[in-house]
């Protein structure tokens, strides 16, 4: 079976944790590196959490490096402790084994090394703020041809999930998102809230995960605070596994059905800051982004569960 060389840039984050385990339990995924920005929680915690999740998955072979601790231009003004817990793992970080070792390189340096050493183009799945990937493209434009595509969980054509109009990953660093989504060098597949919020994992899914073994029980426990937040905010006993959808698409290209359109990001300081706006003008300029707006959501959820539960 063809294996996909993959870098995952992630801000764990409870749905990030599921996405990381999904990748680690998928034989098609040749995970060359995990890199971490700030995001759901501070970089010190996202970095620790990524290494904790890899330890849970028994993956000491994958280097993990920390990157951006801040957004590029304006400071992030909204965090997500009510969704991910102050520790970033649903207040269950104590249930995890000791974290795997930290790679001493910066995220950009690690990504650059992986790209430079790869004998075939590498997919980058970015499931947090896009700061590290924007920096990579800025510092190493010569490596763009070595990136086969960027699959980004980010954005929303409709309502956002922050205080303003924006989806969280974009709101955390709109300038970085704009940089990545409007550059012509690397194809981008965008996985927005428009799809991820239509693909909710319900009680049966969550119970099946919890019953799949002790490590799956730990992972399911991480989702409990997030599940309660969904009940509170949306009135549903279910959770959106935003990041897992993006990683599944990165591993199984074509799983999500896309529509191509140029995307702009509002980078002003007004109420729409961080909005991702499709440019539908006939004379729209800039590269088209492949926006995932449709999928067989039942099949997607089944695929994610079947793979994640291999963790045992
Ligand atoms: O808006 C959803 C995104 O924001 C996901 O990546 C989640 O982990 C949070 O970071
Ligand atoms: Ca995330």
């Amino acid at each position: 079976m063809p294996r996909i060389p993959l870098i995952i840039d992630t801000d764990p984050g409870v749905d990030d944790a599921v996405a990381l385990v999904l990748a680690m339990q998928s034989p098609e995924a040749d995970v060359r590196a995990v890199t971490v920005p700030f995001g759901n929680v501070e970089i010190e915690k996202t970095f620790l959490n990524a290494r904790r999740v890899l330890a849970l998955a028994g993956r000491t072979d994958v280097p993990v490096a920390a990157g951006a601790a801040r957004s590029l231009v304006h400071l992030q003004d909204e965090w997500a402790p009510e969704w991910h817990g102050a520790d970033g793992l649903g207040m269950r970080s104590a249930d995890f084994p000791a974290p795997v070792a930290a790679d001493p390189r910066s995220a950009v340096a690690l990504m650059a090394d992986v790209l430079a050493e790869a004998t075939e183009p590498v997919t980058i799945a970015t499931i947090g703020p896009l700061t590290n990937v924007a920096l990579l493209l800025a510092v190493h434009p010569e490596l763009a041809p070595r990136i086969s595509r960027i699959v980004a969980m980010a954005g929303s054509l409709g309502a956002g999930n922050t205080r303003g109009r924006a989806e969280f990953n974009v709101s955390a660093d709109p300038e970085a998102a704009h940089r990545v989504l409007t550059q012509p060098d690397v194809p981008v597949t965008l996985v927005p809230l428009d799809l991820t919020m239509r693909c909710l994992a319900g009680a049966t899914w969550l119970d099946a995960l919890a019953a799949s073994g002790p490590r799956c029980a730990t992972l399911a426990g991480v989702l409990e605070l997030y599940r309660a937040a969904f009940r509170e905010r949306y009135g549903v006993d279910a959770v959106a596994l935003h990041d897992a959808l993006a990683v599944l698409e990165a591993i199984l290209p074509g799983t999500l059905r896309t529509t191509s359109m140029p995307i702009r990001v509002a980078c002003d300081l007004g109420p729409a800051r961080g909005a991702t706006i499709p440019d539908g003008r006939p004379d729209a300029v800039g590269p088209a982004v492949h926006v995932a707006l449709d999928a067989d959501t039942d099949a997607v959820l089944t695929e994610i569960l079947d793979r994640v539960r291999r963790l045992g």
Side-chain angles (χ1 to χ4, degrees):
M1 130 228 354
R3 299 190 74 209
I4 305 270
L6 185 61
I7 294 170
I8 302 175
D9 192 70
T10 174
D11 65 329
V14 300
D15 59 322
D16 302 72
V18 176
L20 283 172
V21 171
L22 169 63
M24 301 302 151
Q25 298 299 328
S26 293
E28 303 88 342
D30 176 7
V31 184
R32 306 279 177 89
V34 170
T35 53
V36 180
F38 72 98
N40 288 312
V41 289
E42 303 84 342
I43 183 88
E44 296 77 11
K45 296 175 183 177
T46 55
F47 189 32
L48 197 49
N49 292 342
R51 292 154 53 212
R52 283 174 168 143
V53 173
L54 261 63
L56 184 75
R59 296 298 300 270
T60 57
D61 59 311
V62 179
V64 188
R70 299 282 186 278
S71 45
L72 295 181
V73 179
H74 298 287
L75 284 180
Q76 178 183 8
D77 62 2
E78 186 169 347
W79 302 82
E82 69 276 21
W83 297 98
H84 299 271
D87 69 350
L89 289 176
M91 303 309 290
R92 298 293 185 94
S93 50
D95 297 347
F96 283 75
V100 301
D103 190 288
R105 290 168 285 186
S106 71
V108 170
L110 175 56
M111 286 195 277
D113 286 348
V114 167
L115 294 173
E117 291 157 10
T119 56
E120 59 187 305
V122 178
T123 294
I124 297 180
T126 171
I127 54 178
L130 288 91
T131 315
N132 286 339
V133 177
L135 289 169
L136 171 72
L137 295 173
V139 175
H140 294 286
E142 79 285 357
L143 294 176
R146 291 176 170 267
I147 306 170
S148 59
R149 68 167 172 160
I150 295 167
V151 182
M153 192 283 134
S156 172
L157 304 189
N161 60 357
T162 61
R163 285 193 304 270
R165 168 77 172 66
E167 176 278 325
F168 181 84
N169 287 338
V170 176
S171 77
D173 196 340
E175 284 78 10
H178 185 78
R179 176 76 187 76
V180 174
L181 297 180
T182 59
Q183 52 75 32
D185 306 315
V186 180
V188 176
T189 298
L190 189 69
V191 184
L193 294 179
D194 309 75
L195 179 55
T196 63
M197 289 299 286
R198 288 183 19 236
C199 192
L200 302 185
T204 304
W205 194 99
L206 294 165
D207 292 346
L209 175 63
S212 297
R215 295 188 294 176
C216 286
T218 296
L219 192 59
V222 163
L223 292 170
E224 278 309 299
L225 183 144
Y226 187 54
R227 183 179 184 179
F230 260 76
R231 270 197 293 266
E232 168 97 14
R233 171 147 176 192
Y234 299 111
V236 294
D237 184 17
V239 295
L241 300 172
H242 308 285
D243 297 337
L245 266 71
V247 166
L248 188 66
E249 168 59 30
I251 293 169
L252 301 176
T255 299
L256 309 182
R257 293 189 281 271
T258 62
T259 304
S260 297
M261 61 188 82
I263 295 283
R264 296 285 174 276
V265 178
C267 292
D268 61 282
L269 295 176
R273 178 169 169 75
T276 39
I277 304 154
D279 188 340
R281 293 172 298 177
D283 57 347
V285 295
V289 173
H290 307 293
V291 184
L293 294 172
D294 193 18
D296 178 340
T297 53
D298 290 340
V300 164
L301 288 169
T302 299
E303 193 70 48
I304 293 170
L305 180 60
D306 287 350
R307 291 162 181 267
V308 170
R309 68 196 316 181
R310 293 171 189 165
L311 183 64

